[in-house]
Amino acid sequence: MTVMTGADMIERDSLFIDGGWRASAAGRMLDVHGAATGKVLGRVPDGTAADVDLAVAAARRAFPTWSGAPLEERLGLLARVETLMAERVEDLARLISSEVGTPIKVSRLVQVGLPIRVLATYRELLPTLPIEERIGDSLVVREPIGVVAAITAWNYSLQQVVGKVGAALATGCTVVVKPSEVAPLSAFVFADLMAEAGFPPGVFNLLSGTAASVGEPLVAHPGVDMIHFTGSTAAGRRIGAAAAQTVKRVALELGGKSANIILDDADLAQAVKVGVANCFTNSGQTCTAWTRMLVPRDRLGEVEDLVMARLQGYRAGDPLEPSTNFGPLGSEAQQSRVREHIERALAEGARLLAGGTQPPPGAADGYFVAPTVFTDVRPDMGIAREEVFGPVLAIIPYGDEDEAVEIANASIYGLAGAVWSADPARAQRVARRLRTGQVDINGSWFNPLAPFGGYRQSGTGRELGVHGLLEFYELKSLQLGPSD
């Protein structure tokens, strides 16, 4: 239930469990702050372990019927949600821009537009998915894994909920969702749409709260069959360890420190233009952001000039204003962490080309950090190794192609990256050498049909497309006996 307590205040006083809204067991509430103002934007319940028990029990009761429902029925309900989301694009975009700080144009296109497209891909792919396979005298079948706990981050709040929930429900699983307490309001609107679409009770459940109050009890719960998590690598390690106690399936989409390799024959202006835009999209709060720009050493000065020219086009301010193309960070805590990274880089001797710890002009309120660029960065500096998750770009010079690949791969992460070259075959050869889950070659659009995920400490498993859907199945072999 939504309670409006003022012109700019949204209070969601209930959790969505077993097909209806009910008060949390403890009655505690959490404040949600607007990223651009720092003021309280809304309030949501701080759930408890008792709420987790109720939601998991509801999901377990619903699973046998839902997993056995005809595929057409499941996909028809998801199509209804897709339609309802399309009717609410503007409302959802403005809400997410207020919560997260994403400029409104980007919110419409990415924060809301992308999850709508992702739902459509699930509906298109499921009927073609190979659910049964004959191998010798065995029939190998895929069956939905069961109850999925989806725990999401705040930077792309709606996409992460929809991407996980859509895939789980389409494949026949039931879900308990815990959105980030930093930006949970769009998840509550999504729950409204799920109820309006007519999903059976228990198939979808929504619990808000902190990691301690809801996240940890959900991960440890013996009635949960799978954890699907997006967040920091540190949190992913803790979740993996806790889930191992009950040997759950775990899919983790974690951090990144992606390298953008600009080879010596590349269109330098285009590569820098796209590279800067990628790094600073959503104020750098993107796990796949190309935060390391690797450039030929003898062209470092040219790159610096091109980067500075691109920065002149950034206008910080109210994310709801159409002219704004650079918003705040998602929270005060995130702002503090990014400033600490900048101060540490300065202490290590990194050369500051632009930005710093102060907010950009005209953005004194809210959680802003100016677009920041360090240049001539050494690969061993913290700013070249650690995920900042903010608007900070490290320009790293290299000598030859082999050194560029070596620098790019010298990371605990392996989520994304990019390669630029006038020779597409050369770019692809270099891309194949990178130890990372996805590589853009000479710039490209995000493809929701391709598997999304990373190597090493960027996570386990894949999201989106066929490979993302297959994460939600168990394999069973039916031994049919000798064919002769």
Side-chain angles (χ1 to χ4, degrees), residues 33-39 41 90 92-109 111 282-283 285 315-330 360 362-368:
H33 295 266
T37 65
K39 297 178 180 178
L41 174 68
E90 188 63 23
L92 283 164
R94 294 182 69 83
L95 178 60
I96 294 170
S97 289
S98 299
E99 279 192 290
V100 178
T102 308
I104 187 66
K105 291 181 180 179
V106 181
S107 283
R108 293 188 188 109
L109 180 65
Q111 295 278 21
N282 207 29
S283 297
Q285 299 168 123
R315 295 177 299 279
D318 182 354
L320 296 178
E321 288 293 329
S323 61
T324 297
N325 61 5
F326 185 82
L329 299 178
D365 297 327
Y367 309 129
F368 285 89

Side-chain angles (χ1 to χ4, degrees), residues 290 417-421 423-424 427-429 431-432 439-444:
W290 305 340
V419 179
W420 296 81
S421 172
D423 180 356
Q428 189 173 132
R429 287 196 301 271
R432 288 177 180 273
V439 184
D440 282 18
I441 295 176
N442 289 333
S444 58

Side-chain angles (χ1 to χ4, degrees), residues 205-230:
N205 305 273
L206 175 71
L207 302 176
S208 56
T210 65
S213 65
V214 170
E216 292 173 7
L218 196 53
V219 170
H221 202 290
V224 171
D225 300 294
M226 178 183 186
I227 305 294
H228 209 296
F229 171 77
T230 297

